[in-house]
Amino acid sequence: MNDSEIAVSQIALMKQKLHAARTALEDINKDRNDKLKTLIQFIGHLSLACKGQNLELDNKLAKLRHQLHDYEQIDEALPELVDIERILKGQYHHTMTQLEESRLGLARVIRQIQRVNSAPDKVKKEINYFKQDLNKPFHTVWEYIPKVEKLIGFYEEILQQQFTDVDNYDILPQHIQLARELAIKISEIEFRKDQRDQILVMKEVLLGDITLNTLLESYQTILSLLLDNIAREKSASQDFLYALNDALTVVRDVVNNSYNNNERSHQLKQQLNKEINLRVDNAGGIITKVDDLNDLKTQLTVQLSSLRDVLSRKEALEQREQTILRKSIDAMRKELNSITQEANCYKEKLFEHQKLNLLDPLTQLANRTALEDRMDQEYRNHIRFKTPLWIAITDIDHFKSVNDNFGHSTGDKTLQVIAMALKNSLRDSEFVARYGGEEFVLLLPDVTEEHIAALLNRVREKVKNIPFKFKNQRITVTLSIGAAQVMDNETIEEAFERADTALYKAKNNGRDRVVIDI
């Protein structure tokens, strides 16, 4: 083998070694870059784990992630690694200090919880074990978090125990009074037929043994029913106004069309009248100018024919105008009838509502609002005609015992029977109203002082003789009555107060009697 062949052989060998070295270098670089990627991922996860604990550490880690894009930049990142290591050590000591302070804080909280006497016995035992466990120091945050969760669990159990007894709050006298007043108020309000059964049930509940939740729910239910009724009334009013507006729009359109048609007809009539006058003038001119009788006859015949044609067109126009006017009037009459029916229907509803608003729904007597109106009316008559006017206030004796012993539904029936007895005992000119609860007020005009006692005692005896029978038991229901005459230079309210005072005297003097303030 000559020297050139040897050289070629060595060159080939060197090429093989160079290729092998290059391949090995590429593998080393790939392995190095893979490890660098792993390191960058690790730093990223470390940043997430440490985020928020230390602002300087967050910034250093972010800067390090930015620098480590390739292996050659590791040397530049080494100073940052040293700083990061320093910060991590400091953060570790800071965390351990905070964990110790947190452990002491939990110990203080648990001592406060132990002072809650209403805590269940099971919870108290668990708290004692928990307190002993807190004597051991925390080494990581993951030991601290479960302790906090456990402490929260203690709070939840204690609070749950507290709120479980919320319905056991004592019902105070004012709560019972509120329930009774609400029952009276809903008796004075007229509800829709589909609501009355619900109201009756609610009234029975309010007059019985109640809880605080029951009282609050009753107020909420009553408010909802009233708002619903108001919304319905508003909707009905709006519907009527919309119908009225539509009808008035139709009437307006009919009137406008009639006016426009009338204007056009008027213009056509003027034209026809001019044409008629022209034909008449022409006929007059022909008579004056034409001497030949035949020629005159011919020309007049032409003018009369034209005149007849114009009159026919005018008659047709007037007939068309009459037809259009008749249709317009019929359309207006139809719409006006519709409006009248709607108005009458709405008027009846308003009348019924007004009537219901002046009636006590239980007894069907006049209510307190109607009483005030009638008092004003009777007082004006008293001032004007100088006629005597008496006010009598009646109260059912021991009515509470009827409710307590026989139930509130029986009490309601008793009120209804007594109300009818009072109404039937009076003349048409006399007036009785339910004032509230078991009290009734009588307005008695044109009754002399000599006859008032006999009249009121007759009313009292009539009620006393009603054969009430509850649960096969005969019961006598009596009235106490106080009365006063409206005196000169006295308001009717002042007379009412004197009658009320007389009523209290009747009740304090043994009940079932009439006391007249003179």
Side-chain angles (χ1 to χ4, degrees):
M1 184 180 294
N2 54 31
D3 293 338
S4 62
E5 291 175 347
I6 293 171
V8 171
S9 177
Q10 289 178 349
I11 291 172
L13 181 60
M14 290 178 65
K15 285 182 178 180
Q16 289 178 358
K17 290 181 178 180
L18 179 61
H19 178 72
R22 185 177 295 148
T23 301
L25 180 60
E26 289 177 356
D27 291 339
I28 291 172
N29 287 335
K30 183 177 180 301
D31 181 63
R32 182 183 64 184
N33 289 331
D34 289 341
K35 291 179 179 179
L36 180 62
K37 288 179 181 179
T38 302
L39 177 62
I40 293 173
Q41 289 178 353
F42 168 75
I43 294 172
H45 292 311
L46 179 63
S47 299
L48 291 174
C50 299
K51 188 174 182 179
Q53 298 188 39
N54 187 299
L55 182 60
E56 184 182 7
L57 178 61
D58 290 343
N59 293 334
K60 291 288 185 181
L61 289 172
K63 185 177 180 181
L64 182 62
R65 292 197 307 274
H66 181 72
Q67 288 177 340
L68 291 178
H69 287 300
D70 53 55
Y71 195 78
E72 285 71 18
Q73 293 178 319
I74 288 181
D75 290 339
E76 298 178 8
L78 286 176
E80 297 295 336
L81 288 173
V82 175
D83 286 342
I84 290 173
E85 182 184 12
R86 173 183 57 79
I87 295 171
L88 283 172
K89 288 181 179 179
Q91 184 63 30
Y92 171 76
H93 292 298
H94 178 68
T95 301
M96 296 306 296
T97 301
Q98 284 188 324
L99 285 174
E100 180 60 21
E101 291 177 357
S102 299
R103 184 183 68 83
L104 297 176
L106 290 178
R108 289 193 298 271
V109 173
I110 207 66
R111 286 196 295 271
Q112 293 294 332
I113 292 179
Q114 286 183 310
R115 298 173 62 183
V116 179
N117 296 326
S118 60
D121 293 336
K122 178 183 176 182
V123 175
K124 290 180 179 179
K125 291 180 182 179
E126 292 180 357
I127 288 174
N128 288 330
Y129 295 137
F130 182 81
K131 183 178 179 181
Q132 294 175 5
D133 198 28
L134 283 179
N135 293 329
K136 302 174 186 178
F138 297 148
H139 299 289
T140 66
V141 174
W142 308 112
E143 296 179 28
Y144 168 70
I145 292 176
K147 294 295 189 293
V148 175
E149 293 175 345
K150 187 70 174 176
L151 185 63
I152 293 173
F154 293 148
Y155 267 113
E156 289 179 344
E157 292 190 46
I158 293 174
L159 290 175
Q160 185 178 6
Q161 176 68 26
Q162 292 289 332
F163 286 121
T164 300
D165 298 332
V166 69
D167 290 336
N168 295 329
Y169 286 139
D170 293 336
I171 297 298
L172 302 177
Q174 52 262 43
H175 297 148
I176 298 175
Q177 181 64 25
L178 285 172
R180 300 297 184 267
E181 290 178 358
L182 180 59
I184 293 172
K185 288 295 181 185
I186 63 178
S187 297
E188 297 174 353
I189 298 172
E190 180 66 22
F191 289 91
R192 300 196 317 269
K193 290 182 179 180
D194 59 318
Q195 297 175 338
R196 290 174 186 170
D197 290 341
Q198 183 180 3
I199 293 299
L200 288 175
V201 172
M202 188 178 302
K203 183 179 176 183
E204 290 291 333
V205 172
L206 290 170
L207 294 174
D209 295 331
I210 65 166
T211 64
L212 195 57
N213 279 345
T214 302
L215 181 59
L216 294 175
E217 290 172 0
S218 298
Y219 271 103
Q220 182 180 5
T221 302
I222 292 297
L223 182 60
S224 299
L225 293 176
L226 291 175
L227 290 175
D228 180 59
N229 290 344
I230 291 172
R232 285 172 178 261
E233 288 300 319
K234 182 179 179 182
S235 177
S237 302
Q238 288 178 340
D239 292 342
F240 171 70
L241 291 176
Y242 288 147
L244 180 61
N245 184 64
D246 292 341
L248 291 176
T249 301
V250 172
V251 172
R252 182 194 63 195
D253 293 340
V254 170
V255 172
N256 288 336
N257 291 335
S258 298
Y259 176 78
N260 293 332
N261 291 330
N262 186 59
E263 284 294 312
R264 288 193 294 269
S265 297
H266 179 67
Q267 293 174 1
L268 291 173
K269 284 180 181 179
Q270 285 181 332
Q271 293 177 0
L272 292 171
N273 287 333
K274 288 180 181 179
E275 192 172 347
I276 291 170
N277 291 329
L278 179 61
R279 299 300 179 190
V280 172
D281 291 341
N282 290 339
I286 291 171
I287 293 172
T288 304
K289 294 178 181 180
V290 177
D291 295 330
D292 184 68
L293 186 60
N294 290 328
D295 189 21
L296 176 62
K297 183 178 179 182
T298 301
Q299 292 189 34
L300 284 176
T301 300
V302 172
Q303 292 299 321
L304 289 174
S305 177
S306 298
L307 183 60
R308 187 182 297 109
D309 179 63
V310 175
L311 290 173
S312 297
R313 283 188 284 143
K314 184 177 180 181
E315 183 181 4
L317 177 63
E318 289 176 346
Q319 288 179 350
R320 177 175 173 272
E321 183 180 10
Q322 289 294 326
T323 302
I324 294 175
L325 182 60
R326 191 179 300 109
K327 289 182 178 179
S328 298
I329 292 174
D330 289 342
M332 290 177 62
R333 184 182 293 111
K334 182 179 179 181
E335 290 300 326
L336 289 174
N337 287 337
S338 177
I339 292 176
T340 303
Q341 291 177 358
E342 289 282 347
N344 289 336
C345 180
Y346 194 70
K347 184 178 179 181
E348 290 177 3
K349 288 182 179 179
L350 289 177
F351 179 76
E352 288 298 324
H353 284 295
Q354 184 179 15
K355 183 179 177 182
L356 290 173
N357 288 336
L358 297 176
L359 284 181
D360 173 59
L362 178 63
T363 63
Q364 295 301 302
L365 293 180
N367 61 13
R368 196 163 178 170
T369 302
L371 171 65
E372 293 173 354
D373 293 341
R374 186 63 177 261
M375 286 174 64
D376 291 339
Q377 176 185 340
E378 294 293 347
Y379 184 69
R380 288 195 300 270
N381 292 337
H382 163 72
I383 296 298
R384 181 180 179 183
F385 301 110
K386 305 300 181 183
T387 53
L389 175 62
W390 291 83
I391 300 176
I393 305 176
T394 73
D395 185 88
I396 303 174
D397 297 327
H398 304 295
F399 184 71
K400 186 176 182 299
S401 63
V402 175
N403 285 329
D404 293 343
N405 296 327
F406 304 104
H408 293 284
S409 60
T410 301
D412 289 346
K413 293 177 181 177
T414 303
L415 286 172
Q416 291 171 338
V417 172
I418 291 176
M420 288 301 99
L422 291 173
K423 186 175 181 179
N424 295 331
S425 300
L426 303 179
R427 297 175 298 175
D428 292 339
S429 60
E430 297 165 344
F431 181 83
V432 59
R434 185 185 180 193
Y435 189 69
E438 60 270 21
E439 286 188 340
F440 300 88
V441 175
L442 285 69
L443 298 179
L444 308 169
D446 297 325
V447 179
T448 62
E449 188 173 336
E450 292 79 13
H451 295 96
I452 187 65
L455 187 155
L456 294 177
N457 276 299
R458 185 174 67 250
V459 171
R460 181 183 59 81
E461 288 294 333
K462 184 170 184 177
V463 172
K464 186 176 182 180
N465 292 325
I466 296 175
F468 286 107
K469 194 174 184 180
F470 306 137
K471 297 181 179 179
N472 296 322
Q473 182 179 351
R474 178 72 165 80
I475 298 295
T476 299
V477 178
T478 61
L479 293 181
S480 295
I481 304 176
Q485 184 179 8
V486 181
M487 308 300 289
D488 294 337
N489 300 321
E490 181 185 40
T491 66
I492 196 166
E493 288 79 11
E494 292 171 338
F496 188 94
E497 292 296 329
R498 290 193 294 110
D500 195 45
T501 301
L503 171 64
Y504 278 100
K505 289 181 180 178
K507 296 183 78 66
N508 292 332
N509 291 337
R511 295 181 171 84
D512 187 23
R513 65 190 62 237
V514 175
V515 173
I516 299 175
D517 182 269
I518 301 176

